[in-house]
Amino acid sequence: MSDFAPTVGVVSTHPRNMPADHAALPVWNAENWFYEDWPVSQKIRSLRRTMAEGDSHLFNTLVLDIHPYVQDQMFAESDGIFGKRLIAGAFVFSAGLGLVATNCVNAFSYGYDKLRFIKPVFIGDTIYSIRSNLDKKPRYKEMGLIRASYEVFKGEGELVLYCEHLQTVKYRNPADFFGETEK
């Protein structure tokens, strides 16, 4: 049994512009936690996702990535060092983090640190992610700063990407952090 309470889809945001009985339902893939609720050392794992050729092409088209390693099968097989096409690192990053992303209405992305593409991911590889809550500290008058690591794995546990996500998160009670924050 986990030491942490569930955090996903536990309560509703209670939007005013829908029927009250709908607004009262827990929201799928959403967290309503505040800075005080964020459990340091909690880990979550995603479901798996196979990186399909069509998804790769769509992503590359959207971001205008026409590098031969991701778009040119003949080049990748004959002149590329891997002998097959890669999934763009930006897509591995986006999909890997998306697998464990939730929609916390109290958190805002502050940036990413230590982003590393450790191993290549190829069309047809299956990935999954683990998010680890690393630490938190009071930062601003209304929000604290939290840091989580994201590890993206392929196959049966081969690490392919690592990064740390920084987020600002609203305090439930900002007065509790008076004197501990920047202006």
Side-chain angles (χ1 to χ4, degrees):
M1 186 80 177
S2 172
D3 292 335
F4 301 106
T7 59
V8 179
V10 176
V11 297
S12 177
T13 58
H14 300 283
R16 293 182 296 264
N17 55 355
M18 68 173 55
D21 59 332
H22 295 182
L25 293 172
V27 178
W28 166 251
N29 199 30
E31 296 174 324
N32 291 29
W33 47 265
F34 288 86
Y35 175 84
E36 294 90 332
D37 303 324
W38 198 72
V40 173
S41 78
Q42 180 189 50
K43 291 185 176 202
I44 62 171
R45 177 190 49 82
S46 73
L47 296 171
R48 294 179 295 192
R49 180 185 201 277
T50 299
M51 305 298 279
E53 181 173 16
D55 297 333
S56 179
H57 275 303
L58 181 58
F59 181 87
N60 295 339
T61 300
L62 288 171
V63 300
L64 303 174
D65 183 352
I66 57 169
H67 193 283
Y69 273 103
V70 298
Q71 288 289 347
D72 185 338
Q73 184 74 26
M74 292 174 68
F75 169 84
E77 287 178 353
S78 64
D79 296 317
I81 63 171
F82 302 110
K84 53 187 170 180
R85 279 185 294 143
L86 296 168
I87 299 289
F91 184 33
V92 175
F93 171 75
S94 297
L97 272 60
L99 285 170
V100 287
T102 58
N103 300 303
C104 181
V105 297
N106 301 316
F108 311 91
S109 187
Y110 190 76
Y112 295 91
D113 286 343
K114 302 179 183 178
L115 174 59
R116 298 293 179 267
F117 301 104
I118 298 164
K119 298 261 177 119
V121 175
F122 303 104
I123 291 170
D125 282 348
T126 298
I127 65 170
Y128 66 92
S129 299
I130 294 176
R131 182 184 81 191
S132 301
N133 296 349
L134 298 175
D135 58 45
K136 64 183 184 178
K137 64 181 177 181
R139 181 68 183 261
Y140 301 108
K141 182 179 173 183
E142 301 289 327
M143 296 183 290
L145 190 63
I146 64 172
R147 186 170 59 98
S149 69
Y150 291 81
E151 296 171 294
V152 180
F153 299 88
K154 72 177 182 179
E156 296 181 10
E158 184 176 9
L159 183 64
V160 298
L161 182 143
Y162 177 87
C163 73
E164 294 177 5
H165 188 194
L166 302 170
Q167 292 180 286
T168 51
V169 183
K170 291 185 343 185
Y171 303 124
R172 176 180 288 109
N173 187 6
D176 290 346
F177 300 95
F178 181 76
E180 296 181 50
T181 64
E182 298 175 6
K183 294 182 182 197

